[in-house]
């Protein structure tokens, strides 16, 4: 019995290390479960957390916007494609607020407050943005790069998603689906 | 009168500004960079390249210009980017293994020692050629007790030869 002790311990340690490796690979893998669910027409509930509004002391969450269409956009001041996307998002925000049906909500990604505020000013972004410190909300959306955009309907479900810079065609299609 | 005290006083006065500067050392970018991480590329900031790490460096430079200490700069970086900005393993997910593995290995080593040391202490003393069972190793305080008569005789001969 005692002779088996050392090999058993070694086997347990080896299995543990293999398990950790497998876990690390799984955790590090890109999460595309939202895209898959949306593609099946099984719109998943939008993850939500109260986050500090950029430049304000208040907090905002996706859940707090229930009843409105939300264009949730992850962005950063250091992200080159986000610059091209900003005017498009601003137009979508004006369209939604004029109709009274929704809003664009920005989420900053690994960005400092001063840099984000300067970006907002430089690109004349009137829509609110929240600060996702530590990218905890981003992880729940499977976001590992910016820009990424999720369109959420009035019932708080993700009805469309685009990982990369969006264009006008995406906004038109997604908003039509969300407002249907 | 000796001029030595005057020279010493002059030297001390000359060194005062340097001492004052030394009391509040100025932080530089390099000093902070190697202790924080690039939050998007997950490598130390001093070797990271790209727009995001450049943005982090710009913030550090601003904080240095504001006269913040290294500790204050790190605190501000955590407030802006989260705990991941510190060059420490993550406290959740796979990062936990960085803390867990040393603890597990330590427990295994301690367990093995607890198991093996008593067994090792119970082993017969090496070199006993008399065929008689040896007592516990800690009772063999005299090395000659572990020698056979033949070996003892040979040892005495050798020692005698060296004494000549």
């Amino acid at each position: 019995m005692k002779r088996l002790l050392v090999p058993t311990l070694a086997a347990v340690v080896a299995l543990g290390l293999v398990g950790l490796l497998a876990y690390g690979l799984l955790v590090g893998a890109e999460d595309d479960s939202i895209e898959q669910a949306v593609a099946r027409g099984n719109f998943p509930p939008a993850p939500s957390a109260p986050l500090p509004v950029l430049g304000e002391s208040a907090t905002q969450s996706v859940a707090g916007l229930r009843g409105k269409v939300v264009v949730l956009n992850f962005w950063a001041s250091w992200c080159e494609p986000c610059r091209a996307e900003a005017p498009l998002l601003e137009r979508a925000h004006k369209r939604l607020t004029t109709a009274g049906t929704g809003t664009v909500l920005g989420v900053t990604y690994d960005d400092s407050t001063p840099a984000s505020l300067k970006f907002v000013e430089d690109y004349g972004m009137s829509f609110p943005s929240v600060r996702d410190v530590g990218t905890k909300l981003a992880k729940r959306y499977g976001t590992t790069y910016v820009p990424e955009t999720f369109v959420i309907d009035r019932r708080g479900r993700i009805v469309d998603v685009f990982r990369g810079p969006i264009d006008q065609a995406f906004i038109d299609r997604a908003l039509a689906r969300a407002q249907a | 009168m000796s001029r030595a005290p005057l020279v010493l006083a002059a030297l001390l006065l000359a060194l005062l500004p340097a001492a004052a500067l030394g009391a509040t050392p100025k932080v530089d970018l390099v000093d902070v960079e190697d202790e924080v991480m690039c939050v998007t590329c997950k490598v130390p900031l001093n070797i990271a390249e790209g727009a995001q790490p450049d943005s982090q460096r710009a913030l550090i430079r601003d904080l240095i210009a504001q006269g913040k200490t290294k500790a204050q700069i790190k605190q501000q970086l955590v407030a802006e980017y989260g705990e991941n900005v510190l060059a420490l393993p993550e406290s959740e997910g796979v990062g936990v293994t960085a803390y867990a593995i040393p603890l597990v290995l330590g427990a295994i080593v301690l367990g093995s020692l607890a198991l093996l040391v008593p067994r090792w202490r119970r082993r017969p003393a090496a070199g006993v050629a008399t065929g008689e069972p040896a007592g516990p190793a800690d009772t063999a305080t005299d090395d000659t007790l572990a020698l056979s008569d033949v070996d003892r005789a040979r040892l005495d001969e050798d020692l005698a030869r060296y004494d000549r």
Side-chain angles (χ1 to χ4, degrees):
Chain A
M1 183 69 184
K2 282 181 179 173
R3 283 182 186 173
L4 289 174
L5 191 65
V6 172
T8 307
L9 267 176
V12 167
V13 170
L15 273 175
L17 289 174
V18 170
L20 280 172
L21 182 67
Y23 176 70
L25 288 173
L26 280 174
V27 167
E30 284 186 18
D31 180 8
D32 61 351
S33 56
I34 291 177
E35 288 98 310
Q36 288 180 6
V38 169
R40 287 195 304 269
N42 181 22
F43 304 133
S48 178
L51 296 174
V53 178
L54 179 67
E56 293 178 24
S57 55
T59 61
Q60 179 67 279
S61 69
V62 170
L65 294 166
R66 187 69 57 90
K68 289 184 174 179
V69 170
V70 180
V71 177
L72 190 75
N73 175 258
F74 288 89
W75 66 270
S77 64
W78 46 264
C79 151
E80 191 73 35
C82 298
R83 293 171 194 170
E85 209 180 52
L88 200 89
L89 289 163
E90 182 58 25
R91 281 200 299 276
H93 180 64
K94 290 229 166 75
R95 185 168 143 192
L96 286 165
T97 48
T98 303
T101 53
T103 182
V104 171
L105 180 63
V107 184
T108 64
Y109 183 90
D110 281 342
D111 205 13
S112 70
T113 306
S116 297
L117 286 170
K118 186 171 184 309
F119 187 89
V120 166
E121 194 184 332
D122 287 352
Y123 290 90
M125 288 157 54
S126 64
F127 57 85
S129 285
V130 290
R131 295 183 60 238
D132 183 20
V133 176
T135 65
K136 285 179 182 155
L137 183 67
K139 284 187 182 94
R140 293 170 65 192
Y141 279 86
T143 295
T144 49
Y145 305 99
V146 280
E148 291 192 358
T149 304
F150 300 81
V151 178
I152 300 160
D153 70 6
R154 293 185 182 93
R155 292 161 63 187
R157 303 174 310 165
I158 301 172
V159 295
D160 218 334
V161 51
F162 198 87
R163 299 192 190 272
I166 54 168
D167 56 16
Q168 191 61 50
F170 169 81
I171 282 286
D172 292 342
R173 183 192 74 207
L175 290 184
R177 186 185 281 183
Q179 289 170 322
Chain B
M1 186 180 159
S2 169
R3 284 190 299 175
L6 285 174
V7 172
L8 190 66
L11 272 172
L12 282 173
L13 279 173
L15 288 172
L16 265 178
L21 281 174
T24 51
K26 188 164 168 61
V27 183
D28 66 7
L29 178 65
V30 177
D31 198 24
V32 181
E33 256 190 329
D34 60 356
E35 291 181 29
V36 296
M37 300 290 284
C38 161
V39 283
T40 50
C41 30
K42 319 286 186 204
V43 297
L45 188 59
N46 59 351
I47 58 163
E49 288 178 15
Q52 197 282 328
D54 285 347
S55 165
Q56 269 184 252
R57 286 188 193 98
L59 176 65
I60 295 169
R61 278 194 203 97
D62 283 350
L63 294 170
I64 290 170
Q66 289 169 29
K68 306 266 189 197
T69 64
K70 198 203 284 191
Q72 287 171 327
I73 291 170
K74 282 185 172 182
Q75 201 175 6
Q76 188 63 35
L77 288 171
V78 170
E80 294 289 351
Y81 300 107
E83 293 283 339
N84 291 348
V85 77
L86 299 177
L88 295 170
E90 287 182 36
S91 57
E92 58 186 34
V94 77
V96 174
T97 57
Y99 297 105
I101 286 177
L103 288 175
V104 170
L105 288 179
I108 289 170
V109 168
L110 284 177
S112 305
L113 283 175
L115 202 74
L116 295 174
V117 166
R119 288 170 67 180
W120 173 73
R121 285 166 64 96
R122 281 198 298 271
R123 283 175 61 191
V128 175
T130 56
E132 289 177 11
D138 56 354
T139 60
T141 51
D142 186 351
D143 287 348
T144 55
L145 290 177
L147 294 175
S148 67
D149 292 341
V150 176
D151 288 339
R152 192 177 300 123
R154 195 188 304 152
L155 180 65
D156 288 343
E157 269 177 38
D158 287 345
L159 288 172
R161 198 164 56 241
Y162 281 116
D163 284 343
R164 270 183 239 137

